[in-house]
Amino acid sequence: MREEIIKQIILAVIECIEEEGIQQVTVRKIADKAKVNPAAINYYFGSKENLIEETLKATLDEAFINNLRVYEILWEKDPLKALKSYLSDTIEGMFMYRGLMKAHFYDAFIHGKYDPEFVRRFSDFLNRFFALISEKLPGSTLPEKKIVLVQVLSAVFYPGLFPKLFEDFLGKDFTKKNTRDKYISILVNNIADLINIDVHKEDK
């Protein structure tokens, strides 16, 4: 029962963030969405701030670390398909949960502050991802390979966070799924050329 209520409250926070943004979230709005007494927020989480922090931690793990585990075995069998699927899922998640994505980066964007826990969890994700694909990445040293990984992820994060920024230049609308699908396909094919993966393998 306790775990169900906690899950219900966290889902309510996500809904509130998606609807109005993190700055507009209140205990009353969360309680109304979760269909619980406002006192339950303090009972289970201590404060609204703690609740939002726990929500962001959980969703960060789900978006990056947990999602990455899905492709660990596939990477060994078909690295191109694993990479394409993972990058596609990542950018789709960024568009599906725009408010949540902005909330994760809010302090960094607005105040230039980087929450230590957020940095730690994101670094954990980067290290896990790097462990999966480091052997395939171009570069003669680990630092060189890590730079390539950051470049690949940046190519997804930038249009994911700022979709309208490239619209005039490319003549493409990143808010449309077919544009994102085409973009990821071209990106993965370019990466495949660098890491000597057969770009036609996934069609065999």
Side-chain angles (χ1 to χ4, degrees):
M1 183 66 175
R2 182 178 185 277
E3 291 183 359
E4 283 300 314
I5 294 175
I6 289 175
K7 181 179 179 181
Q8 194 172 318
I9 292 172
I10 288 177
L11 289 175
V13 176
I14 294 172
E15 285 187 45
C16 288
I17 291 175
E18 286 301 313
E19 289 177 3
E20 301 185 61
I22 192 170
Q23 293 305 299
Q24 303 304 318
V25 175
T26 65
V27 170
R28 170 58 65 186
K29 289 176 181 178
I30 295 169
D32 288 346
K33 286 279 186 187
K35 295 180 172 55
V36 298
N37 190 295
I41 307 298
N42 287 330
Y43 177 78
Y44 287 108
F45 296 94
S47 68
K48 182 190 79 171
E49 290 70 26
N50 287 341
L51 169 56
I52 290 177
E53 182 179 349
E54 288 302 313
T55 300
L56 294 180
K57 287 179 183 178
T59 52
L60 182 67
D61 284 349
E62 183 62 30
F64 296 111
I65 296 175
N66 295 343
N67 195 26
L68 188 61
R69 292 193 182 106
V70 175
Y71 301 103
E72 288 180 352
I73 296 175
L74 183 58
W75 183 260
E76 293 296 326
K77 296 180 178 178
D78 191 336
L80 179 64
K81 184 176 182 180
L83 184 61
K84 185 175 182 179
S85 297
Y86 181 73
L87 295 181
S88 292
D89 282 355
T90 298
I91 199 167
E92 289 309 309
M94 295 175 80
F95 277 87
M96 187 178 297
Y97 296 101
R98 301 293 295 159
L100 200 55
M101 184 58 62
K102 291 177 182 177
H104 279 297
F105 292 97
Y106 182 83
D107 280 339
F109 282 151
I110 305 301
H111 304 295
K113 296 179 180 178
Y114 293 83
D115 178 69
E117 181 64 17
F118 177 86
V119 172
R120 186 191 69 77
R121 286 171 180 267
F122 194 74
S123 293
D124 184 28
F125 153 69
L126 289 175
N127 286 321
R128 288 170 184 259
F129 197 9
F130 186 70
L132 277 179
I133 68 174
S134 59
E135 291 184 4
K136 301 289 185 179
L137 293 173
S140 58
T141 67
L142 287 181
E144 288 176 353
K145 289 175 178 285
K146 287 184 176 181
I147 286 173
V148 173
L149 176 60
V150 171
Q151 290 172 334
V152 171
L153 290 176
S154 296
V156 174
F157 273 64
Y158 223 85
L161 289 169
F162 308 104
K164 291 295 184 181
L165 199 59
F166 305 97
E167 188 172 313
D168 287 344
F169 178 70
L170 294 175
K172 301 290 185 181
D173 184 357
F174 272 97
T175 63
K176 295 182 178 179
K177 189 177 186 306
N178 63 336
T179 298
R180 299 194 295 271
D181 289 343
K182 181 66 174 177
Y183 176 79
I184 293 296
S185 291
I186 293 173
L187 173 62
V188 172
N189 285 347
N190 289 339
I191 296 167
D193 288 340
L194 288 174
I195 60 181
N196 298 316
I197 295 177
D198 180 3
V199 295
H200 302 297
K201 182 176 180 181
E202 65 174 349
D203 298 324
K204 294 179 180 178

